[in-house]
Amino acid sequence: MPSIHMDYPDPSFSTANDLACALAYLESPTHISQDLPNQLPEAGIGERQTLDLLAGYVLGGAAHLNAPTALAHMNPPTPWITWAMSLWNASLNQNLLHDMTSPFATQAEAIVLDWLSPYFGMAGGHFCAGSTLANLTGLWAARDAAGVSTVVASEAAHLSIAKSCRLLGLDLIQIPTDQRGRLDPQYLPPLQNVCLVLTAGTTATGAIDPLDLAGQAKWTHVDAAWAGPLRLSPIYADRLKGIDQADSVSVSAHKLLFQPKDAALILFRQLAVANAAISFDSGYLAKPNVGVQGSRSAAAIPLLATLLAWGRAGLASRLEFLMQVADTLAASIEANDRLELWQRPQTGITLFRPLGMSIPTFITKTPPGMLSTCVLAGEVWARAVAANPCVDCDQVIAAITTAVNGNT
Ligand SMILES: Cc1ncc(COP(=O)(O)O)c(C=O)c1O
């Protein structure tokens, strides 16, 4: 099953000089940044020398998220169209806090939100610098628009839910999950006065909580940081059925929308009501400041460009490829009697473990960046996260087979 998407050239080496610097870095025995001054230099070395000096460190010392065996984390490689947009953004340094400092960037954000919000049944929202902030913003709106003081989430909810509750002074009740890692409704307390947090794609296992519960609490927030973009695939959209009954939804753009960090969306079903609860005015502002951040970058522009370049169908084909990678990997694990599969993947995350070999020993026998680990019910599992459209599933399966079976 070869990789099908070739629009991710290797970001690491754009010139022969970069490559030489990177190789020199990789060959250095210690990887210690010994050429960098310990203290702030009084005189600078100039831009060109700085590029030469840093290429080996920044490019050579990076994790290769586009490697054919990279499956360890929820961090995708970014398509080159976003690199161009990010350079434009950096050179222009627009600030979405004021329309005057972002005449087009503000419009770009509105366009992207208009395009994407309907897939989630939401009216709109805003970009923020990651789903931790998106979740914080959703719970802030739940507290101040709906007046809730208690949040109910599963034990598998992302730590940003507990963090947000701590920051907002909300009580958090975490209830057990079922055998497949989903919030188990039998443990739910009465929902009339609480904010229910449902996760669409939990961090450890990719499980989707029962989204048919959305709308039953005073406020429902769906953390769709990981799996939210599946709404754009006709094949997988129904896995998130019910999400449109939520009051707020978080979606990471820097996960399965393939965007550079730091980009996420917080979406609201009743936008005016939510915005009224999370906005501040000040004499120096021409419009209210909505959300947690003050200054905000033009993170919508790389996403606008990606969606223009690929279209919905292009994005969906990449997501469907990744879901197939996870399914193919899971099937090969099931067929190997030296491996144990945790469950069939629900949203591209595959957990498994070798039989008769410790996880650390197994992981060291696989290529770096291929697998991560997670702990479920006190037991450690190997975790493969299909976020890399450049992955070569055959190479991954071969590497796992070699690690458990040896070369023969
Ligand atoms: C389900 C879920 N929610 C929220 C987050 C937090 O997102 P971020 O790292 O963008 O702040 C993550 C991160 O992995 C996640 O998996």
Side-chain angles (χ1 to χ4, degrees):
M1 190 178 176
S3 166
I4 54 167
H5 302 297
M6 301 310 291
D7 56 347
Y8 293 81
D10 188 330
S12 311
F13 311 120
S14 46
T15 65
N17 189 43
D18 286 353
L19 180 57
C21 291
L23 290 175
Y25 168 86
L26 291 171
E27 281 161 14
S28 93
T30 52
H31 288 199
I32 293 171
S33 47
Q34 56 211 1
D35 298 338
L36 300 178
N38 289 330
Q39 290 176 344
L40 174 67
E42 182 61 22
I45 58 173
E47 283 80 359
R48 288 202 165 267
Q49 283 89 337
T50 301
L51 281 183
D52 287 346
L53 174 61
L54 286 186
Y57 293 118
V58 176
L59 303 175
H64 292 276
L65 304 175
N66 63 344
T69 55
L71 278 183
H73 295 286
M74 289 177 159
N75 297 291
T78 48
W80 68 259
I81 187 74
T82 65
W83 313 344
M85 296 301 122
S86 299
L87 275 178
W88 289 0
N89 271 352
S91 70
L92 296 167
N93 205 22
Q94 304 289 283
N95 186 353
L96 273 82
L97 189 56
H98 316 279
D99 289 351
M100 202 192 286
T101 54
S102 55
F104 176 68
T106 292
Q107 287 178 42
E109 178 177 61
I111 292 168
V112 173
L113 287 163
D114 280 354
W115 287 354
L116 294 180
S117 300
Y119 288 95
F120 302 91
M122 299 290 120
H126 62 268
F127 276 64
C128 50
S131 282
T132 296
L133 286 185
N135 286 339
L136 175 62
T137 314
L139 298 194
W140 177 16
R143 189 191 69 178
D144 289 357
V148 301
S149 55
T150 302
V151 170
V152 177
S154 92
E155 286 167 354
H158 187 259
L159 64 91
S160 56
I161 300 301
K163 196 189 277 185
S164 301
C165 288
R166 175 103 58 95
L167 285 167
L168 292 164
L170 296 168
D171 293 327
L172 174 62
I173 300 172
Q174 286 193 275
I175 64 172
T177 54
D178 66 13
Q179 292 292 307
R180 300 202 67 202
R182 303 169 299 196
L183 176 142
D184 191 337
Q186 67 172 305
Y187 297 102
L188 280 175
L191 294 175
Q192 296 87 332
N193 291 315
V194 306
C195 170
L196 175 64
V197 173
L198 301 169
T199 308
T202 59
T203 315
T205 69
I208 301 174
D209 285 342
L211 297 181
D212 56 352
L213 292 168
Q216 295 187 25
K218 188 147 195 202
W219 186 280
T220 306
H221 174 73
V222 176
D223 177 358
W226 168 246
L230 294 179
R231 289 295 286 173
L232 282 91
S233 158
I235 299 176
Y236 294 100
D238 266 4
R239 293 203 180 175
L240 275 63
K241 196 165 168 218
I243 195 170
D244 53 345
Q245 296 307 306
D247 297 284
S248 51
V249 175
S250 301
V251 181
S252 277
H254 57 210
K255 293 188 171 74
L256 288 179
L257 291 173
F258 307 102
Q259 295 304 293
K261 295 188 181 54
D262 301 288
L265 287 74
I266 175 68
L267 305 173
F268 296 105
R269 193 145 59 92
Q270 290 188 282
L271 185 61
V273 173
N275 277 355
I278 58 167
S279 294
F280 278 77
D281 254 323
S282 171
Y284 84 108
L285 294 173
K287 64 177 183 186
N289 172 209
V290 183
V292 178
Q293 287 174 257
S295 296
R296 286 189 303 121
S297 72
I301 289 182
L303 182 52
L304 175 73
T306 306
L307 296 173
L308 277 174
W310 292 355
R312 185 212 54 78
L315 173 63
S317 73
R318 286 158 176 88
L319 297 172
E320 288 154 13
F321 168 75
L322 290 171
M323 295 304 116
Q324 283 165 23
V325 165
D327 284 342
T328 307
L329 177 60
S332 83
I333 290 164
E334 265 177 340
N336 188 327
D337 58 12
R338 296 191 188 194
L339 293 170
E340 178 189 358
L341 182 70
W342 176 69
Q343 299 272 342
R344 279 274 170 167
Q346 297 169 59
T347 59
I349 299 179
T350 312
L351 302 189
F352 65 103
R353 58 187 173 192
L355 299 172
M357 186 188 292
S358 77
I359 297 274
T361 305
F362 172 62
I363 300 265
T364 55
K365 287 171 178 265
T366 59
M370 194 170 97
L371 299 170
S372 51
T373 58
C374 71
V375 179
L376 286 186
E379 295 187 3
V380 188
W381 294 81
R383 173 173 170 267
V385 183
N388 169 19
C390 304
V391 74
D392 180 339
C393 196
D394 294 340
Q395 276 194 50
V396 172
I397 292 169
I400 291 173
T401 309
T402 304
V404 282
N405 295 357
N407 279 319
T408 50

